[in-house]
Every structure is written in C-alpha cells, then in structure tokens.
Amino acid sequence: MLRSIMSQQKSRLELPATLSASLEAGHPWVYRDRVPRGFSAPDGALLRVRAGSYSGWGLWDASSPIALRMLSHREEPTAAWLRTRVAEAWELRALVRSEDTNAYRLVFGEGDGLPGITVDLYDTTCVVITYADGLARLLDWLVVALRDIAPIERVVRRRRGRDHDRLELLWGSPVPGEIVVRENGMRLRVDLERGQKTGLFLDHRDNRSLVKRLAAGRRVLNLFSYTGAFSLAAALGGAEHVTSVDVSAGAMAAARQNFADNGLDPNAHEFLVRDVFEHLAEARGRGQRFDLVVSDPPSFANSRGQLKTALKAYRKLTADGLRVVRSGGLYAAASCTAQVSPEAFKSVIAEAAARVNRRFQIVHEAAHAFDHPVMIAHPEGRYLKLVLGRVLENS
C-alpha cells in the first residue's frame, strides 16, 4: 500500500509577501531565513503555503538551508499529480533516447517539477537520488509512476553511507554489479554503487560528441578524466593520441576497459594515475604541448561561502592548462560548480589567459544536454558550463 504524504495533519505556512513574485514565476525554493521565526513542522510535512497573492504546496525540510521545496501551485500533490510530472519528463526524453543512446537523466529535479529528486536511466535500471530526507515520502508514488511509464526492470535508490554510497532496491530484479550502456554509439561501463554521481556524468553527453567531432588527428589531454568518457570520444573521433589523467586508480582501470570494449587498444594511449596539478607542472617542464585539452574538474564549492576559493582554484587550473596547449590549439574548460555563474567562469578564464600571456578565443559555449532542462525562473538549475576556446600566443 502506498504511503500517503497526506496522512499527517495538514499545516499552513504564511511567508513574506515579498516572495510572491518569485513563487508565482515558479521558483521552487524557499530558504530558511525567509521562514518566520519559531515555525516548525515534521521533516517531510506537506504544507499549504501562502505569500501575498501566491498559494501553493511545499515539502518541509527540517535541516537544510532550503526549508521548502515547492511542489505545486494549483493542486494538492497526489500519486496522479506525480505521475503527470514523470510522464512529462518521459515525453521530453524522446529528444535523447535512440538505439544508440540508452543512458540519460529521466527526471532532473526542479527542472521537471520534482524538486530535490533525480532519476537516471541506465538501459532498464532507474537510479534515484533524493536531496532531502523528507522526499522519501514520495518514493512509493515515484516507483509506481516509473514502472507505468518507462520500460524498466528495476528501480534503485542511491544513498550516502559512512564509507561509500549504497544502493537500496525499491522495486524489480536484483541489481547487477556493473551495467554496460550506449551513449551515441559508445559502450560505457557503469558502476551504479561506487561510481561518481550515479555512475556516469550524463550531463556531458553532448559535449563528448563535440570533442569527438574535433579530435581527428589531434593529441588530446583529458584532465580529471574519471572513467575516460571524454577520452574515449576523442579516440573514436580519430585522435592521434589521448592522455587521460585522474587521481583514481580504479577510474583509470575502468577507462582502459572502456577503450577495449570499443575496439581500441588501450596501450596505444596513456592512462596516468596522477594529481592533475602535479601532472600539468611536469608536462610544462618537459615542454609537452597538446592540440586539445579537456578540463572537467569536480565541483570546487558546495556553498556560496566557498565561492572565492572555487574561483581561485579555477583560475590556477585554467592558467596551468593553457600553458600546455600549443598555439592554435583548443581548450575546453568545464565547471559543474553551481555557485559559479557562466559570466564569472568566463571572467576567470580571461584572467587566467592574461596571466599566462595567451589569447583565448571563445568558439563555443554549452551547458547540460536536453535531458537536464532548467525552468526559466530557476537559474540556479543551470550548474554546468563548458567554454571551448582557441588558444593563441599574444601578438
């Protein structure tokens, strides 16, 4: 039997009228400092929210800075309401799925009207992540909706553990230890339990296709390469040689296996278990130059308070990376740090280029792929930035 989030006593919350415009426009978050002092509710309680002329339904989070995740403006959330949100998300993913691609983000939280919930589809396995404990109250409804709408064999939830994340089977057959998926024809191995995020960085799918188109005949350096998806795309695109650098030995072993699975000889390329900053210093000292450098580091900030440190780290990384690009070569700089805006990221690149006496000519900018939609009133949802530039010596 489904757990009902309405089994609790319904509560009401009156918010400042100044929030009316943003909530009416569809912003899905209410921060704790905007909630009247002294208000409390059980974690996961569904609240009837009013702010001036606005009225809607939100889910209470008792601990995080985001106190309310707004679910609905017009109707009380029910199983049918949630099924509609999943059906809308599934319809949009028709832009992505094909015989060549069976791995993508099926539900992108706020962008699909289900704030705090993501669902990644790997072939016939749905992997769910929730970003607030109270969202567990929606899981039964979510599982039923996914089973009804998508041709899947299992739904699992990835939860953070003390030493590593763990998987909880919510429905279906047991989870295989490893899944092989297709992305634009590439075969990629996915470790659902120990891999980063839910196993792959699905948000970079289109950016990997871009690198594949640009790689022919080039010597490529992939920094923070993880399991080598960018590296594999470059090699399949005809790169002369690909060097992959990541601090994780396990990721490097998986990258080599991905090359072999796609009919490429891993020994024809280089897989280095190294700190990226140390490797760049050594490469510069040896006079190494590359035709295409891809830099996709992990997030450098988890809060606004870490923004200054994050910008400093991006500035140093970009300066070090630009030093090993040959004149006329390409540098693809990526950032998944939500606290860093696209304009701030480009400013950092400009500062780094000036520091190392290079000209950086932007030729392409990108964000997430189609399966990561962003609501127009929620710019915070656009976390991923990729800036591709041609690097030239200063004249």
Side-chain angles (χ1 to χ4, degrees):
M1 178 180 294
L2 295 179
R3 295 190 302 267
S4 170
I5 59 173
M6 295 308 299
S7 62
Q8 306 172 60
Q9 182 181 359
K10 300 177 188 178
S11 300
R12 293 181 179 272
L13 174 58
E14 194 77 27
L15 294 173
T18 52
L19 293 178
S20 176
S22 64
L23 293 175
E24 289 281 3
H27 198 285
W29 297 342
V30 176
Y31 287 98
R32 194 162 304 281
D33 61 2
R34 305 310 302 274
V35 175
R37 289 187 179 183
F39 178 86
S40 66
D43 201 20
L46 188 70
L47 305 180
R48 186 70 161 145
V49 178
R50 294 189 182 278
S53 61
Y54 171 83
S55 177
W57 299 89
L59 200 70
W60 178 255
D61 186 329
S63 57
S64 83
I66 301 173
L68 274 173
R69 289 173 171 84
M70 301 307 300
L71 301 180
S72 175
H73 292 198
R74 299 179 181 272
E75 61 181 291
E76 180 180 323
T78 63
W81 167 87
L82 189 142
R83 190 188 190 283
T84 299
R85 301 289 82 72
V86 174
E88 290 172 345
W90 175 255
E91 181 182 11
L92 178 64
R93 272 60 183 185
L95 298 172
V96 177
R97 58 179 173 267
S98 68
E99 291 185 1
D100 289 335
T101 298
N102 65 357
Y104 48 88
R105 178 148 292 180
L106 175 51
V107 175
F108 184 42
E110 288 75 3
D112 283 306
L114 290 171
I117 298 175
T118 65
V119 181
D120 287 342
L121 180 65
Y122 293 104
D123 192 9
T124 58
T125 299
C126 281
V127 182
V128 177
I129 292 181
T130 57
Y131 291 92
D133 291 341
L135 289 164
R137 298 180 180 279
L138 299 176
L139 287 179
D140 286 337
W141 292 352
L142 178 64
V143 170
V144 171
L146 292 170
R147 290 172 57 185
D148 287 350
I149 292 168
I152 58 175
E153 296 180 0
R154 65 188 64 83
V155 180
V156 300
R157 182 187 184 194
R158 182 157 163 166
R159 307 184 69 177
R160 185 167 300 281
R162 177 174 297 179
D163 300 319
H164 61 84
D165 289 0
R166 59 186 180 86
L167 294 181
E168 172 190 357
L169 181 64
L170 301 180
W171 170 81
S173 56
V175 184
E178 194 172 53
I179 293 177
V180 179
V181 299
R182 299 184 304 278
E183 178 186 284
N184 293 323
M186 296 192 303
R187 290 169 54 85
L188 294 168
R189 291 176 178 260
V190 183
D191 185 336
L192 299 179
E193 186 168 5
R194 294 181 180 272
Q196 295 185 35
K197 286 198 172 180
T198 59
L200 286 179
F201 294 108
L202 297 172
D203 47 9
H204 269 307
R205 181 179 53 257
D206 291 350
N207 297 330
R208 287 190 281 268
S209 292
L210 174 66
V211 165
K212 184 178 181 180
R213 293 198 302 273
L214 296 172
R218 297 180 185 271
R219 296 183 63 82
V220 178
L221 173 63
N222 183 14
L223 305 173
F224 307 96
S225 59
Y226 185 41
T227 57
F230 270 116
S231 301
L232 177 60
L236 290 173
E240 177 185 323
H241 184 270
V242 181
T243 300
S244 305
V245 184
D246 197 280
V247 74
S248 168
M252 283 293 87
R256 292 181 65 90
Q257 186 61 57
N258 277 331
F259 269 57
D261 288 346
N262 285 270
L264 298 172
D265 179 8
N267 295 321
H269 302 275
E270 196 170 17
F271 301 86
L272 303 177
V273 181
R274 295 294 312 279
D275 174 83
V276 162
F277 290 95
E278 291 178 2
H279 175 74
L280 287 173
E282 292 181 7
R284 180 191 176 199
R286 293 194 297 267
Q288 281 188 305
R289 296 294 181 268
F290 297 87
D291 304 300
L292 171 59
V293 175
V294 179
S295 175
D296 181 29
S299 179
F300 286 148
N302 294 317
S303 67
R304 295 293 301 178
Q306 298 173 329
L307 177 58
K308 185 176 180 180
T309 300
L311 293 175
K312 182 179 179 180
Y314 280 121
R315 192 176 298 110
K316 174 173 173 50
L317 173 62
T318 306
D320 290 352
L322 291 176
R323 287 187 174 106
V324 299
V325 182
R326 71 164 180 83
S327 183
L330 299 172
Y331 188 88
S335 166
C336 64
T337 303
Q339 289 76 20
V340 176
S341 70
E343 293 308 313
F345 189 50
K346 284 185 286 186
S347 293
V348 163
I349 295 172
E351 293 164 8
R355 178 182 295 182
V356 299
N357 201 31
R358 301 289 194 277
R359 287 180 290 154
F360 190 94
Q361 184 181 43
I362 295 177
V363 296
H364 180 73
E365 291 184 62
H368 332 95
F370 287 150
D371 52 341
H372 291 67
V374 177
M375 288 298 184
I376 192 68
H378 184 236
E380 298 93 331
R382 188 184 187 273
Y383 66 89
L384 186 65
K385 287 80 59 180
L386 182 130
V387 179
L388 174 70
R390 183 169 65 153
V391 181
L392 299 164
E393 298 290 340
N394 260 334
S395 57

